[in-house]
Amino acid sequence: MSLGNNNINTYVEAELDYVNAKKVQASVNTSTLFGFIQLERNGNKTLKSANRYKGLNKREAQALYRAKENANVDIILEPEFETEKHSWFLGLYRTSSTKVRGWGVNIKGIKYDQHGTPNR
């Protein structure tokens, strides 16, 4: 859990609905001209989390957001990203495709830690 740039460490145990887990996937495609003119836009909605999905670039975060929203799930377990890039005319025209695949699950409930032990 985080507030601004400050992380707050808490112990939370969630009960996941593994029975209804489903494979999820989404793609984000981009194309640019001269390196800065976007010919194909993907919006500005991204999914980032202080603890779960660290170190994602913008296209990966956009694909993860799409997969989560399209499948109507709370969490994507073990997301795997595949990126393919192409460049033509000495780099003046570039395309990129980023795909994410994983297992989407919903949270059935959250349990409170009665012992107050932090998650480390």
Side-chain angles (χ1 to χ4, degrees):
M1 186 168 108
S2 65
L3 180 62
N5 290 329
N6 299 320
N7 286 339
I8 300 171
N9 294 325
T10 60
Y11 177 79
V12 176
E13 185 177 331
E15 184 179 352
L16 301 179
D17 184 9
Y18 291 114
V19 173
N20 294 314
K22 54 187 166 185
K23 286 187 178 183
V24 297
Q25 67 179 18
S27 298
V28 170
N29 300 309
T30 61
S31 59
T32 58
L33 186 61
F34 304 119
F36 64 92
I37 300 173
Q38 288 186 341
L39 301 177
E40 192 170 349
R41 298 179 186 267
N42 291 293
N44 291 318
K45 293 186 177 181
T46 62
L47 182 64
K48 295 231 178 171
S49 169
N51 298 323
R52 194 175 312 124
Y53 307 116
K54 290 183 181 179
L56 301 179
N57 64 38
K58 183 177 179 180
R59 288 184 297 272
E60 290 171 341
Q62 287 174 325
L64 197 59
Y65 176 83
R66 282 187 182 177
K68 183 179 173 295
E69 291 299 308
N70 291 345
N72 196 27
V73 296
D74 295 323
I75 297 173
I76 297 179
L77 301 175
E78 296 300 321
E80 294 180 355
F81 297 94
E82 178 182 316
T83 300
E84 185 175 340
K85 296 179 182 181
H86 296 282
S87 177
W88 292 275
F89 307 112
L90 302 172
L92 296 177
Y93 178 70
R94 296 178 184 195
T95 62
S96 173
S97 174
T98 301
K99 296 177 186 175
V100 63
R101 291 183 193 95
W103 285 93
V105 295
N106 286 311
I107 297 173
K108 291 197 303 188
I110 295 177
K111 300 176 186 176
Y112 175 72
D113 177 29
Q114 298 169 355
H115 304 292
T117 55
N119 185 13
R120 294 184 194 248

